[in-house]
Coordinates of all heavy atoms in Angstrom, one line a residue:
T1 N -0.2 -4.1 -14.4 CA -0.8 -2.9 -14.2 C -0.9 -2.4 -12.8 O -1.2 -1.2 -12.5 CB -2.3 -2.9 -14.8 OG1 -2.3 -3.6 -16.2 CG2 -3.0 -1.5 -15.0
A2 N -0.7 -3.3 -11.9 CA -1.0 -3.0 -10.4 C -0.3 -1.8 -9.9 O -1.0 -1.0 -9.2 CB -0.6 -4.2 -9.6
F3 N 0.9 -1.6 -10.3 CA 1.6 -0.4 -9.8 C 2.0 0.5 -10.9 O 3.0 1.3 -10.8 CB 2.9 -0.9 -9.1 CG 2.7 -1.4 -7.7 CD1 3.7 -2.0 -6.9 CD2 1.4 -1.4 -7.1 CE1 3.6 -2.5 -5.7 CE2 1.2 -1.9 -5.9 CZ 2.3 -2.5 -5.2
S4 N 1.3 0.4 -12.0 CA 1.6 1.4 -13.1 C 1.0 2.7 -12.9 O -0.2 3.0 -13.4 CB 1.1 0.7 -14.4 OG 1.4 1.4 -15.6
F5 N 1.7 3.6 -12.3 CA 1.2 4.9 -12.0 C 2.2 6.0 -12.6 O 3.4 5.8 -12.6 CB 1.0 5.1 -10.4 CG 0.2 4.0 -9.7 CD1 0.7 3.5 -8.6 CD2 -1.0 3.7 -10.2 CE1 0.0 2.5 -7.9 CE2 -1.7 2.7 -9.6 CZ -1.3 2.1 -8.4
H6 N 1.6 7.2 -12.8 CA 2.3 8.4 -13.0 C 3.0 8.7 -11.6 O 2.5 8.5 -10.6 CB 1.4 9.5 -13.4 CG 2.2 10.8 -13.7 ND1 2.5 11.7 -12.8 CD2 2.5 11.3 -15.0 CE1 3.2 12.7 -13.3 NE2 3.1 12.5 -14.7
P7 N 4.2 9.3 -11.7 CA 4.9 9.6 -10.4 C 4.0 10.4 -9.4 O 4.2 10.2 -8.2 CB 6.2 10.4 -10.8 CG 6.4 9.8 -12.2 CD 5.2 9.6 -12.8
L8 N 3.2 11.3 -9.8 CA 2.4 12.0 -8.9 C 1.5 11.2 -8.3 O 1.1 11.3 -7.1 CB 1.8 13.2 -9.7 CG 2.6 14.4 -10.1 CD1 1.8 15.4 -11.0 CD2 3.2 15.0 -8.9
E9 N 0.8 10.3 -9.1 CA -0.1 9.3 -8.4 C 0.6 8.4 -7.5 O 0.1 8.1 -6.4 CB -0.9 8.5 -9.4 CG -1.8 7.6 -8.8 CD -2.8 6.8 -9.8 OE1 -2.7 7.1 -11.0 OE2 -3.5 6.0 -9.3
G10 N 1.8 8.0 -7.8 CA 2.6 7.1 -6.9 C 2.9 7.8 -5.7 O 2.7 7.2 -4.5
L11 N 3.1 9.1 -5.7 CA 3.4 9.9 -4.5 C 2.2 10.0 -3.6 O 2.2 9.8 -2.4 CB 3.9 11.3 -4.8 CG 4.1 12.2 -3.6 CD1 5.3 11.7 -2.7 CD2 4.5 13.6 -4.2
L12 N 1.0 10.3 -4.2 CA -0.2 10.3 -3.4 C -0.6 9.0 -2.8 O -1.2 8.9 -1.7 CB -1.3 10.8 -4.4 CG -1.2 12.3 -4.9 CD1 -2.2 12.5 -6.0 CD2 -1.4 13.2 -3.7
E13 N -0.3 7.9 -3.6 CA -0.6 6.5 -3.1 C 0.4 6.2 -1.9 O -0.1 5.6 -0.9 CB -0.4 5.4 -4.2 CG -1.2 5.7 -5.4 CD -2.6 4.8 -5.2 OE1 -2.9 4.4 -4.2 OE2 -3.3 4.8 -6.3
A14 N 1.6 6.7 -2.0 CA 2.6 6.4 -1.0 C 2.4 7.0 0.4 O 2.8 6.6 1.4 CB 4.0 6.7 -1.6
L15 N 1.7 8.2 0.3 CA 1.5 8.9 1.5 C 0.7 8.2 2.6 O 0.8 8.5 3.8 CB 0.8 10.2 1.3 CG 1.5 11.2 0.5 CD1 0.6 12.4 0.1 CD2 2.8 11.7 1.2
V16 N 0.0 7.2 2.2 CA -0.9 6.3 3.1 C -0.1 5.8 4.2 O -0.6 5.7 5.5 CB -1.8 5.4 2.4 CG1 -1.1 4.3 1.9 CG2 -2.9 5.0 3.3
L17 N 1.0 5.1 3.9 CA 1.8 4.5 5.0 C 2.2 5.4 6.1 O 2.1 5.1 7.3 CB 3.0 3.7 4.4 CG 3.8 2.9 5.4 CD1 3.0 1.9 6.2 CD2 4.9 2.2 4.6
P18 N 3.0 6.4 5.8 CA 3.5 7.5 6.8 C 2.3 7.9 7.6 O 2.3 8.1 8.9 CB 4.2 8.6 6.1 CG 4.5 7.9 4.8 CD 3.5 7.0 4.5
A19 N 1.1 8.1 7.0 CA -0.1 8.6 7.7 C -0.6 7.6 8.7 O -1.0 8.0 9.9 CB -1.1 9.0 6.7
L20 N -0.6 6.3 8.2 CA -1.2 5.3 9.1 C -0.3 5.1 10.3 O -0.8 5.0 11.4 CB -1.3 4.0 8.3 CG -2.4 3.7 7.3 CD1 -2.3 2.5 6.6 CD2 -3.8 3.8 8.1
I21 N 1.0 5.0 10.2 CA 1.9 4.7 11.4 C 1.8 5.9 12.3 O 2.2 5.8 13.5 CB 3.2 4.4 11.0 CG1 4.0 5.6 10.3 CG2 3.3 3.2 10.0 CD1 5.5 5.4 10.2
F22 N 1.4 7.1 11.8 CA 1.3 8.3 12.7 C 0.1 8.3 13.6 O 0.1 8.8 14.7 CB 1.3 9.6 11.8 CG 1.5 10.8 12.5 CD1 2.7 11.2 13.2 CD2 0.4 11.7 12.7 CE1 2.8 12.4 13.9 CE2 0.5 12.8 13.5 CZ 1.7 13.2 14.0
I23 N -1.0 7.7 13.1 CA -2.3 7.7 13.9 C -2.7 6.3 14.4 O -3.5 6.4 15.3 CB -3.4 8.2 12.9 CG1 -3.7 7.3 11.7 CG2 -3.0 9.7 12.4 CD1 -4.8 7.7 10.9
L24 N -2.2 5.3 13.8 CA -2.6 4.0 14.3 C -1.5 3.1 14.8 O -0.5 2.9 14.1 CB -3.3 3.2 13.1 CG -3.8 1.8 13.2 CD1 -5.0 1.9 14.1 CD2 -4.2 1.1 11.8
P25 N -1.6 2.5 16.0 CA -0.6 1.6 16.6 C -0.5 0.3 15.6 O -1.5 -0.4 15.4 CB -1.1 1.3 17.9 CG -2.0 2.3 18.3 CD -2.6 2.8 17.0
L26 N 0.6 0.1 15.1 CA 0.9 -0.9 14.2 C 2.3 -1.7 14.5 O 3.3 -1.0 14.8 CB 1.0 -0.5 12.8 CG -0.3 -0.1 12.1 CD1 -0.2 0.6 10.8 CD2 -1.3 -1.3 11.8
H27 N 2.1 -3.0 14.6 CA 3.4 -3.8 14.7 C 4.0 -4.0 13.4 O 3.3 -4.0 12.4 CB 2.9 -5.2 15.3 CG 4.2 -6.0 15.8 ND1 4.9 -6.8 14.9 CD2 4.7 -6.2 17.0 CE1 5.9 -7.4 15.6 NE2 5.8 -7.0 16.9
P28 N 5.3 -4.1 13.4 CA 6.0 -4.1 12.1 C 5.5 -5.3 11.3 O 5.4 -5.3 10.0 CB 7.6 -4.4 12.5 CG 7.6 -3.6 13.8 CD 6.3 -3.8 14.5
Y29 N 5.3 -6.5 11.9 CA 4.8 -7.7 11.2 C 3.3 -7.4 10.6 O 3.0 -7.9 9.5 CB 4.7 -8.9 12.1 CG 6.1 -9.4 12.5 CD1 6.3 -10.4 13.5 CD2 7.2 -9.1 11.7 CE1 7.5 -10.8 13.8 CE2 8.4 -9.7 12.0 CZ 8.6 -10.5 13.1 OH 9.7 -10.9 13.3
A30 N 2.5 -6.6 11.4 CA 1.2 -6.2 10.8 C 1.3 -5.4 9.6 O 0.6 -5.5 8.7 CB 0.4 -5.5 11.9
I31 N 2.4 -4.5 9.6 CA 2.6 -3.6 8.5 C 3.0 -4.4 7.2 O 2.5 -4.3 6.1 CB 3.7 -2.6 8.7 CG1 3.3 -1.6 9.9 CG2 4.1 -1.8 7.5 CD1 4.3 -0.7 10.4
V32 N 3.9 -5.5 7.5 CA 4.4 -6.3 6.4 C 3.2 -7.1 5.8 O 3.0 -7.2 4.6 CB 5.4 -7.3 6.9 CG1 5.7 -8.4 5.9 CG2 6.7 -6.5 7.2
I33 N 2.3 -7.7 6.7 CA 1.1 -8.4 6.2 C 0.2 -7.5 5.4 O -0.3 -7.8 4.4 CB 0.4 -9.1 7.4 CG1 1.3 -10.2 8.1 CG2 -0.9 -9.6 6.9 CD1 0.7 -10.6 9.3
Y34 N 0.0 -6.2 5.9 CA -1.0 -5.4 5.3 C -0.4 -4.9 3.9 O -1.3 -5.0 3.0 CB -1.2 -4.1 6.2 CG -1.4 -2.8 5.5 CD1 -2.6 -2.6 4.8 CD2 -0.5 -1.8 5.6 CE1 -2.8 -1.4 4.1 CE2 -0.6 -0.6 4.9 CZ -1.8 -0.4 4.1 OH -2.1 0.8 3.6
L35 N 0.9 -4.7 3.8 CA 1.5 -4.2 2.5 C 1.4 -5.4 1.5 O 1.3 -5.2 0.3 CB 2.8 -3.7 2.7 CG 2.9 -2.4 3.5 CD1 4.4 -2.0 3.7 CD2 2.2 -1.3 2.8
T36 N 1.6 -6.7 2.0 CA 1.6 -7.8 1.2 C 0.2 -8.1 0.6 O 0.0 -8.3 -0.5 CB 2.1 -9.1 2.0 OG1 3.4 -8.8 2.4 CG2 2.1 -10.3 1.1
I37 N -0.9 -7.9 1.5 CA -2.2 -8.0 1.1 C -2.5 -7.0 0.0 O -3.2 -7.3 -1.0 CB -3.2 -7.9 2.3 CG1 -3.1 -9.0 3.3 CG2 -4.7 -7.7 1.8 CD1 -3.9 -8.9 4.5
M38 N -2.0 -5.7 0.3 CA -2.2 -4.7 -0.7 C -1.6 -5.0 -2.1 O -2.4 -4.9 -3.2 CB -1.5 -3.4 -0.2 CG -1.7 -2.2 -1.2 SD -0.6 -0.8 -0.8 CE 1.0 -1.5 -1.2
T39 N -0.5 -5.6 -2.1 CA 0.2 -6.0 -3.4 C -0.6 -7.1 -4.1 O -0.9 -7.0 -5.3 CB 1.7 -6.3 -3.1 OG1 2.4 -5.3 -2.5 CG2 2.4 -6.7 -4.4
I40 N -1.0 -8.2 -3.3 CA -1.6 -9.3 -3.8 C -2.9 -8.8 -4.4 O -3.4 -9.2 -5.5 CB -1.7 -10.5 -3.0 CG1 -0.3 -11.0 -2.5 CG2 -2.6 -11.6 -3.4 CD1 -0.4 -12.1 -1.4
S41 N -3.7 -8.1 -3.6 CA -5.0 -7.6 -4.0 C -4.9 -6.8 -5.2 O -5.8 -6.9 -6.2 CB -5.6 -6.8 -2.9 OG -6.8 -6.1 -3.2
S42 N -3.9 -5.9 -5.4 CA -3.8 -5.1 -6.5 C -3.5 -5.9 -7.8 O -4.2 -5.7 -8.9 CB -2.7 -4.0 -6.3 OG -2.7 -3.1 -7.4
V43 N -2.7 -6.8 -7.7 CA -2.5 -7.7 -8.8 C -3.7 -8.5 -9.2 O -4.0 -8.6 -10.4 CB -1.2 -8.7 -8.5 CG1 -1.1 -9.8 -9.5 CG2 0.1 -7.8 -8.3
V44 N -4.3 -9.1 -8.2 CA -5.5 -10.0 -8.5 C -6.6 -9.0 -9.1 O -7.3 -9.6 -10.1 CB -6.1 -10.6 -7.2 CG1 -7.5 -11.1 -7.4 CG2 -5.1 -11.7 -6.7
N45 N -6.8 -7.8 -8.7 CA -7.8 -6.9 -9.2 C -7.6 -6.5 -10.7 O -8.5 -6.1 -11.4 CB -8.1 -5.8 -8.4 CG -8.6 -6.1 -7.0 OD1 -9.1 -7.2 -6.8 ND2 -8.6 -5.2 -6.0
H46 N -6.2 -6.6 -11.1 CA -5.8 -6.2 -12.4 C -5.5 -7.4 -13.2 O -4.8 -7.3 -14.3 CB -4.6 -5.3 -12.3 CG -4.9 -3.9 -11.8 ND1 -4.8 -3.6 -10.5 CD2 -5.4 -2.8 -12.4 CE1 -5.1 -2.3 -10.2 NE2 -5.5 -1.8 -11.4
L47 N -5.9 -8.6 -12.8 CA -5.6 -9.8 -13.5 C -6.2 -10.1 -14.8 O -5.8 -10.7 -15.7 CB -5.7 -11.0 -12.5 CG -5.4 -12.4 -13.0 CD1 -3.8 -12.4 -13.3 CD2 -5.7 -13.5 -12.0
D48 N -7.5 -9.5 -15.0 CA -8.4 -9.6 -16.1 C -8.9 -11.1 -16.2 O -9.4 -11.6 -17.2 CB -7.7 -9.2 -17.5 CG -8.8 -9.0 -18.5 OD1 -9.7 -8.3 -18.3 OD2 -8.5 -9.5 -19.7

């Protein structure tokens, strides 16, 4: 269920990354860690 979205919701969810790198200094490795945490967190929260 973690990434089970309608395409419009997927688009709205996806906007956060371009917005973040535009306003916040981020190292590529920090981005990878942050996105990995996002994926694991979403799966854990939908684990039931």
Side-chain angles (χ1 to χ4, degrees):
T1 313
F3 286 173
S4 180
F5 305 133
H6 185 279
L8 287 175
E9 179 172 359
L11 176 61
L12 293 170
E13 299 270 9
L15 292 176
V16 71
L17 181 58
L20 281 175
I21 67 168
F22 189 73
I23 64 174
L24 181 68
L26 286 168
H27 191 277
Y29 289 162
I31 295 173
V32 170
I33 293 170
Y34 150 67
L35 293 176
T36 302
I37 291 173
M38 179 192 70
T39 302
I40 295 174
S41 173
S42 187
V43 170
V44 168
N45 292 347
H46 290 93
L47 187 59
D48 199 48

